[in-house]
């Protein structure tokens, strides 16, 4: 196989590896300290799984380091043993089932395109996985599902049987059930070996809706019983009667994982694959329906799962009708009536009794790290609120953040921690305007569209409104289907950040009611938690004057409406225009003040609030279609020198002296003069150097202001009997310095005029 190089931005994710290992082996009793864990990997030349190294339970960090190092090598896929090996296992070499010591989590490996169908089954049985490892998404999603046990299981055969039951029920690989199996390590690069697959990063997702995040073995066995034929009870015939003379309930015969029709045998996996490919759909669906009837499924369960296998060009209603006919024929043929299956209703108050959770140990190194996506603003599983006045540039800033996360480029001066897909739902602007803004960002930063293709979704409320909740006449907040739709779409498309702009357009409740707004905000928090996605809500301010207020910048109380929204959000930021006070502080001309914006932290429950604002400058980008669209470019502002007058005067005199030595022409613009000084070899001016994101040389506003002040201060330097200097001048298009020279003693006081007027 031809060697493939790792893409520049595709690197193993050590944090995901650590989370996966912690889920399998973290928090074990000290009795397992000597148990071994197998790290295995494929040969880079032939792809065979022949290499392994053995570690102890206390060496999870060392496993991560070793796995990252190995996985960076071309075609070296890394795997982790699902079960603990016996303490006396040799330190090197592949393990075997005979090395089995204990299993901490039951598992199923699903390679076919049946993830959605499997999810419907385990949800209906009330036993969702404690974690899922997505091993790939092309050409369809593939996953390993884990059910962490409250106590490790030492019976090797029971482990095999339960894994087999999971594979049978959830359409998994029936060969990947032995307890000595190794499975792909989350966070690793999946080097493709099969046709149709691509280079991908595997992902780990823990089910944070489960508290506690483990099961007793009996719970899993009850939800997924072993239905192998040799273990199934002998079914009664319909003619059997009980002691009261009544016809006994029919006991459903079990069916094996392979479907036997006459002399033809086909695996469940292959049958489903053929159905989805449209290969003899009717014949294979008939086989599968017969299999489900034998497994004891009800009509409702069969129809619900079969509906997901509707082929393009057909409707779900047509599938339901065809499958209903198959079910009726099968039940008549095999004398298997539709079973009445009752789902045990567990009381809502079935929580364990309240007890203080005292700690007897704390392994800080194994605590999972917070998964920040962008700076300290966007965090997986949490809600962030950006408060800004209308028209200040918040939508442009949101799209720039989406591009930063989708490409991994630092274009907002916020570190990009993960390279993920982004979904922007703007409920105010039309789709063309959103595309213009995206195009302007890409053009300004010279980013090829290929870097964001299928990685940024732009939805407009003009095309399809987003509405999560509305209030009825009694004031009750009604949850709308868009909540679950958002969760489903984010999961299906593996979206990492969901940006909603603005919040007020996505609900129909009283925005001043804390009770109602809290419910709506909790819905967005649910979306974040259910999908492990960062959710950013863009929200309007109360009434700051002209979009710039010193009292509002960095103040979470700037948010419009009920304060409950701020309470639910974990991170709150404000985006405001530059105030007059800021302009004076940083030496920005009044005519340019409207071009600057400041981003401030207002609330940070999961970190420290930054005391420094992040500044942006508005730039106009000319698109190829003739439109001009604004973008925000990060900029660094430096406060003007606040030294006493004597030191200021010396600094201004230094500026004039250096310019006289370096400028040979009669005129120079203030900006060019400042850049000339900052980027010279003179150490006194190097601190004023700045470089923008494109690598261009810039200078601080402080130095530009000082150059202007020096030109207007009538400073004369005497050399060889001649007074020399520069005077500040303005015309319609620019501000510049004009050189003057005159005989010593012919001062401005003597002449009654300033030096600039004497020198033409």
């Amino acid at each position: 196989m031809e060697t493939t190089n790792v893409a520049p931005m595709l690197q193993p994710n050590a944090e995901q590896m650590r989370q996966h290992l912690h889920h399998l082996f973290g928090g074990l009793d000290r009795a397992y300290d000597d148990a071994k864990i197998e790290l295995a990997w494929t040969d880079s030349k032939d792809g065979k799984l022949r290499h392994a190294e053995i570690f102890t339970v206390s060496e999870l960090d060392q496993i991560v380091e070793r796995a990252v190092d190995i996985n960076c090598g071309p075609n070296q896929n890394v795997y982790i043993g699902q079960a603990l090996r016996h303490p006396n296992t040799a330190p090197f070499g592949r393990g075997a089932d005979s090395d089995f010591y204990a299993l901490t989590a039951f598992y199923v490996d699903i390679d076919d395109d049946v993830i959605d169908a499997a999810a419907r089954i385990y949800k209906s049985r009330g036993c969702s996985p404690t974690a899922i490892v997505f091993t790939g998404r092309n050409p369809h999603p593939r996953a390993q599902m884990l059910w962490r046990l409250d106590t490790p299981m030492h019976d090797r055969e029971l482990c095999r049987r339960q894994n087999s039951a999971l594979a049978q029920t959830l359409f998994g690989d029936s060969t990947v059930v032995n307890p000595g199996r190794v499975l792909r390590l989350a966070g690793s690069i999946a080097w493709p070996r099969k046709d149709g697959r691509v280079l991908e990063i595997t992902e780990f997702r823990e089910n944070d809706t489960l508290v506690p995040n483990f099961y007793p073995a009996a719970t899993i066995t009850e939800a997924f019983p072993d239905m192998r034929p040799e273990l199934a009870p002998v079914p009664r015939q319909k003619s059997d009667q009980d002691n009261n003379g009544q016809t006994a309930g029919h006991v459903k015969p079990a069916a094996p994982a392979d479907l036997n029709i006459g002399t033809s045998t086909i695996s469940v996996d292959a049958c489903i694959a053929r159905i989805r490919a449209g290969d003899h759909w009717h014949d294979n669906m008939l086989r599968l329906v017969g299999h489900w009837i034998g497994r004891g499924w009800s009509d409702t369960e069969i129809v619900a799962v079969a509906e997901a296998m509707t082929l393009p060009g057909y409707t779900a209603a047509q599938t339901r009708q065809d499958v209903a006919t198959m079910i009726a024929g099968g039940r008549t043929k095999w004398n298997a009536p539709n079973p009445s299956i009752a789902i045990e209703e567990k009381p809502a108050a079935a929580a364990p009794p309240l007890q203080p959770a005292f700690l007897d140990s704390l392994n800080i190194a194994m605590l999972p790290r917070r998964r920040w996506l962008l700076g300290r603003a966007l965090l997986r599983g949490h809600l962030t609120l950006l408060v800004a006045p209308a028209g200040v540039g918040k939508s442009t800033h949101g799209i720039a953040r989406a591009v930063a996360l989708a490409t991994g480029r630092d274009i907002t001066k916020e570190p990009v921690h993960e390279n993920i897909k982004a979904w922007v739902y703007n409920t105010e602007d039309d789709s063309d305007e959103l595309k213009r803004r995206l195009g302007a960002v890409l053009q300004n930063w010279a980013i090829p569209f290929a870097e964001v293709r299928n990685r940024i979704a732009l939805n407009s409320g003009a095309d399809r409104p987003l509405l999560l909740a509305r209030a009825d006449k009694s004031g009750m907040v009604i949850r709308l289907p868009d909540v679950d739709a958002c969760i489903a779409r984010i999961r299906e498309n593996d979206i990492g950040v969901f940006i909603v702009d603005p919040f007020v357009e996505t609900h129909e409740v009283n925005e001043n009611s804390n009770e109602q707004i809290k419910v709506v905000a909790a819905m967005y928090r649910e979306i974040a938690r259910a999908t492990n996605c960062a959710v950013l809500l863009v929200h309007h301010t109360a009434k700051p004057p002209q979009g710039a207020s010193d009292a509002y910048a960095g103040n979470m109380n700037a948010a419009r409406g009920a304060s409950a929204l701020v309470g639910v959000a974990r991170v709150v930021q404000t985006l405001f225009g530059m105030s007059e006070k800021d302009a004076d502080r940083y030496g920005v001309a009044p005519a340019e003040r409207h071009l600057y914006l400041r981003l401030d932290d207002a609330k940070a429950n999961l970190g420290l609030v930054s005391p420094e604002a992040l500044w942006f400058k508005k730039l106009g980008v000319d698109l190829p279609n003739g439109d001009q669209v604004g973008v925000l470019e990060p900029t660094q502002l430096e406060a003007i020198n606040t030294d006493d007058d004597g030191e200021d005067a010396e600094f201004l005199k230094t500026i004039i002296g250096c310019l006289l030595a370096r400028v040979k022409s009669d005129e120079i613009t203030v900006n060019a003069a400042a850049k000339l000084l900052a980027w010279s070899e003179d150490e006194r001016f190097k601190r004023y150097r700045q470089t923008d994101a494109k690598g261009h040389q810039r200078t601080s506003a402080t130095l530009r202001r000082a150059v202007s002040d020096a030109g207007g201060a009538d400073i004369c330097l005497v050399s060889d009997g001649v007074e020399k200097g520069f005077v500040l001048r303005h015309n319609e298009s620019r501000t510049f310095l004009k050189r003057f020279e005159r005989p010593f003693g012919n001062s401005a006081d003597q002449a009654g005029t300033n030096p600039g007027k004497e020198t033409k």
Side-chain angles (χ1 to χ4, degrees), residues 652-685:
L652 299 183
K653 188 180 294 185
T654 300
I655 289 174
I656 294 297
C658 290
L659 288 176
L660 287 171
R662 288 174 172 80
V663 178
K664 304 304 180 184
S665 59
D666 290 337
E667 296 179 359
I668 186 171
T669 64
V670 169
N671 186 56
K675 187 188 293 188
L676 179 67
L677 295 175
W679 292 90
S680 69
E681 295 302 318
D682 197 317
E683 296 292 336
R684 292 170 293 185
F685 299 102

Side-chain angles (χ1 to χ4, degrees), residues 6 10-15 17 67-72 187-189 201:
V6 182
L10 199 59
Q11 298 293 332
N13 188 327
E15 181 59 29
M17 293 180 176
V68 168
D69 182 59
I70 294 169
N71 192 218
C72 285
S188 66
I189 301 171
I201 283 285

Side-chain angles (χ1 to χ4, degrees), residues 474-486:
S474 67
M476 177 72 69
V477 177
I478 307 300
R479 174 193 176 103
L480 299 180
D482 276 358
V483 178
D484 292 326
C486 286

Side-chain angles (χ1 to χ4, degrees), residues 79-366:
Y79 303 82
I80 197 71
Q82 297 305 288
L84 294 169
R85 281 19 177 174
H86 198 277
N88 62 8
T89 301
F92 292 96
R94 288 298 321 281
D97 282 352
S98 58
D99 298 317
F100 171 83
Y101 184 50
L103 191 69
T104 62
F106 292 132
Y107 53 85
V108 62
D109 183 42
I110 301 178
D111 266 353
D112 290 318
D113 190 10
V114 292
I115 298 295
D116 290 343
R120 283 191 288 271
I121 294 171
Y122 65 63
K123 288 179 181 177
S124 70
R125 302 192 179 192
C127 193
S128 298
T130 56
I132 296 179
V133 177
F134 285 95
T135 55
R137 296 189 178 276
N138 290 290
H140 57 258
R142 306 181 299 281
Q144 301 160 187
M145 298 180 181
L146 305 173
W147 283 260
R148 175 71 188 256
L149 298 167
D150 59 350
T151 303
M153 179 173 285
H154 291 265
D155 190 317
R156 185 193 313 169
E157 183 55 30
L158 286 179
C159 292
R160 182 192 299 272
R161 286 169 54 183
Q162 187 57 59
N163 287 339
S164 180
L166 286 165
Q168 293 171 32
T169 308
L170 301 178
F171 319 116
D173 189 337
S174 59
T175 66
V176 185
V177 296
N178 57 307
R181 175 70 60 168
V182 295
L183 295 179
R184 199 177 294 271
L185 180 60
S188 66
I189 301 171
W191 295 92
R193 300 290 304 175
K194 297 181 180 179
D195 291 340
R197 298 192 179 178
V198 299
L199 196 66
E200 298 181 85
I201 283 285
T202 57
E203 307 164 56
F204 178 81
R205 289 189 182 178
E206 196 164 34
N207 189 347
D208 55 9
T209 65
L210 294 177
V211 180
N213 200 1
F214 51 77
Y215 292 105
T219 300
I220 304 173
T221 301
E222 181 180 353
F224 305 101
D226 193 330
M227 298 295 290
R228 289 181 296 173
E230 65 270 23
L231 300 176
V234 178
R236 293 184 186 181
Q237 299 303 315
K238 188 176 182 181
S239 59
D240 288 350
Q241 294 186 337
D242 60 17
N243 294 333
N244 296 323
Q246 302 297 319
T247 301
H250 181 82
V251 180
K252 284 76 62 181
D258 286 346
L259 309 183
N260 299 288
I261 306 295
T263 59
S264 174
T265 301
I266 182 175
S267 71
V268 173
D269 296 345
C271 188
I272 292 175
R274 290 182 182 180
I275 291 171
R276 292 189 178 278
D279 180 11
H280 294 81
W281 186 92
H282 184 274
D283 294 341
N284 285 300
M285 180 59 77
L286 185 61
R287 291 179 171 186
L288 196 57
V289 168
H291 170 69
W292 286 334
I293 290 174
R295 291 278 301 280
W297 286 28
S298 69
D299 292 2
T300 303
E301 289 174 309
I302 295 173
V303 171
V305 175
E307 184 178 326
M309 302 182 195
T310 302
L311 293 178
Y314 295 84
T315 66
Q318 289 173 311
T319 299
R320 289 194 296 269
Q321 183 177 358
D322 289 347
V323 171
T325 302
M326 298 176 190
I327 294 172
R331 293 203 184 283
T332 300
K333 179 178 181 179
W334 296 306
N335 192 22
N338 184 26
S340 176
I341 301 175
I343 300 176
E344 181 183 355
E345 184 177 351
K346 296 183 179 180
L354 183 65
Q355 294 289 344
F358 293 109
L359 302 180
D360 60 3
S361 63
L362 179 62
N363 188 344
I364 299 177
M366 291 308 301

Side-chain angles (χ1 to χ4, degrees), residues 571-584:
V571 178
V572 179
Q573 295 181 308
T574 63
L575 186 67
F576 281 95
M578 176 179 280
S579 66
E580 291 184 11
K581 182 178 178 181
D582 285 333
D584 289 340

Side-chain angles (χ1 to χ4, degrees), residues 494-571:
D494 190 30
I495 291 168
V497 62
F498 183 37
I499 301 174
V500 179
D501 179 14
F503 166 72
V504 70
E505 298 288 342
T506 64
H507 65 80
E508 293 178 356
V509 308
N510 182 358
E511 70 172 356
N512 294 310
S513 168
N514 274 313
E515 292 77 12
Q516 294 183 6
I517 288 295
K518 183 177 181 180
V519 175
V520 180
M523 293 177 185
Y524 277 107
R525 181 175 60 190
E526 178 188 351
I527 292 173
R529 290 177 175 176
T531 61
N532 199 27
C533 169
V535 175
L536 172 62
L537 297 183
V538 179
H539 189 44
H540 292 299
T541 57
K543 292 181 180 179
Q546 300 176 356
S549 172
D550 296 322
Y552 280 82
N555 184 348
M556 64 182 177
N557 296 320
R560 171 173 137 180
S563 61
L565 178 60
V566 173
V568 174
R570 296 295 85 190
V571 178

